[in-house]
Amino acid sequence: MWYVKNALTRKNLMALTGLFLSFFLIIHLFGNLQLLLPEAEAKLQYNWYSDLLADNILIKIIAMVLYLCILLHTLDAIYLTVKSKKAKGPGYVKDRRGRASKWYSRNMMFLGSIVFLFLVIHFKDFWYQFKFGELPLDANGNKDLYTLVIKAFDQLWYVIVYVIAIIALGYHLLHGVFSAHRTLGLYHPIYSKIVKYLGMAYTIIMTIGYIIIPIFIYLNR
């Protein structure tokens, strides 16, 4: 009984952190879309935007919540996966779940691992450099994060890794957004299909939106 209560609590926490991260993806995409502007305008606008976020106390608080959500979401996913495998036992390895569920819903941990590994690379290459590196300044005196991003997307291997990670994220979201609503008890036959289709639309928009950016930059340099 203790495990059930604990698992339900952790599932709710994972659902809440997942929904917060999903909302953050929208805000982050809007900021990144500035990279598609003409080069001179994009550089100044993107650097100004990045500097504004770095100096805003409200954004700093949201950023701390974001880091915490990533950590909790990851730890809860690992915990629940390990507990689930132990509960099923070795005799549950071969089954026919594929007939009742999508492959991505059965491989959320694998997809999440790809996304997490990418986040480590992403934080190292951009967040760490912006926070602690010595970036040159642009014409307005803001840290030139734009040039750092452009140089990264000038490399084909980085673009490929980025696209693969975003596709993995897309499949993770495709199941995760709908699953989170059910976990939180917001499931009802009347609007379950609406939530499902909205989740699909959200996933498609986020996936295409993020993939377009590195490909556009690589092809137009």
Side-chain angles (χ1 to χ4, degrees), residues 100-111:
S101 60
K102 301 292 185 180
W103 69 268
Y104 50 82
S105 68
R106 302 191 306 274
N107 291 279
M108 289 292 282
M109 187 63 187
F110 173 70
L111 294 170

Side-chain angles (χ1 to χ4, degrees), residues 87-167:
K88 291 171 183 175
Y92 200 78
V93 175
K94 294 183 179 180
D95 57 36
R96 297 183 176 181
R97 285 176 296 168
R99 295 183 178 183
S101 60
K102 301 292 185 180
W103 69 268
Y104 50 82
S105 68
R106 302 191 306 274
N107 291 279
M108 289 292 282
M109 187 63 187
F110 173 70
L111 294 170
S113 297
I114 294 176
V115 175
F116 182 78
L117 289 174
F118 172 73
L119 281 176
V120 173
I121 297 173
H122 199 63
F123 271 71
K124 177 184 72 68
D125 290 345
F126 301 125
W127 179 85
Y128 182 84
Q129 292 298 325
F130 183 80
K131 290 287 187 180
F132 306 107
E134 296 183 2
L135 294 179
L137 304 180
D138 64 15
N140 289 336
N142 297 318
K143 288 186 177 182
D144 193 4
L145 181 62
Y146 172 83
T147 299
L148 186 66
V149 174
I150 296 301
K151 286 182 178 180
F153 290 149
D154 269 346
Q155 305 172 78
L156 180 59
W157 73 267
Y158 200 96
V159 174
I160 293 174
V161 169
Y162 189 97
V163 170
I164 291 174
I166 296 301
I167 292 175

Side-chain angles (χ1 to χ4, degrees), residues 24-37:
F24 174 80
L25 285 174
I26 300 175
I27 307 301
H28 192 54
L29 178 60
F30 278 127
N32 285 356
L33 286 175
Q34 296 176 100
L35 294 166
L36 303 182
L37 295 171

Side-chain angles (χ1 to χ4, degrees), residues 57-106:
I57 184 62
L58 177 61
I59 299 300
K60 288 182 178 180
I61 294 174
I62 294 175
M64 294 301 296
V65 174
L66 172 67
Y67 307 147
L68 181 61
C69 282
I70 293 175
L71 181 62
L72 290 175
H73 195 76
T74 302
L75 292 176
D76 275 348
I78 295 172
Y79 175 85
L80 290 171
T81 299
V82 172
K83 284 293 184 180
S84 178
K85 287 184 177 181
K86 286 183 177 180
K88 291 171 183 175
Y92 200 78
V93 175
K94 294 183 179 180
D95 57 36
R96 297 183 176 181
R97 285 176 296 168
R99 295 183 178 183
S101 60
K102 301 292 185 180
W103 69 268
Y104 50 82
S105 68
R106 302 191 306 274

Side-chain angles (χ1 to χ4, degrees), residues 171-196:
Y171 279 113
H172 194 77
L173 291 172
L174 193 59
H175 175 73
V177 172
F178 182 69
S179 178
H181 284 82
R182 296 193 65 170
T183 298
L184 296 173
L186 302 178
Y187 176 81
H188 191 281
I190 295 178
Y191 59 79
S192 62
K193 287 187 176 180
I194 296 177
V195 172
K196 182 178 180 179

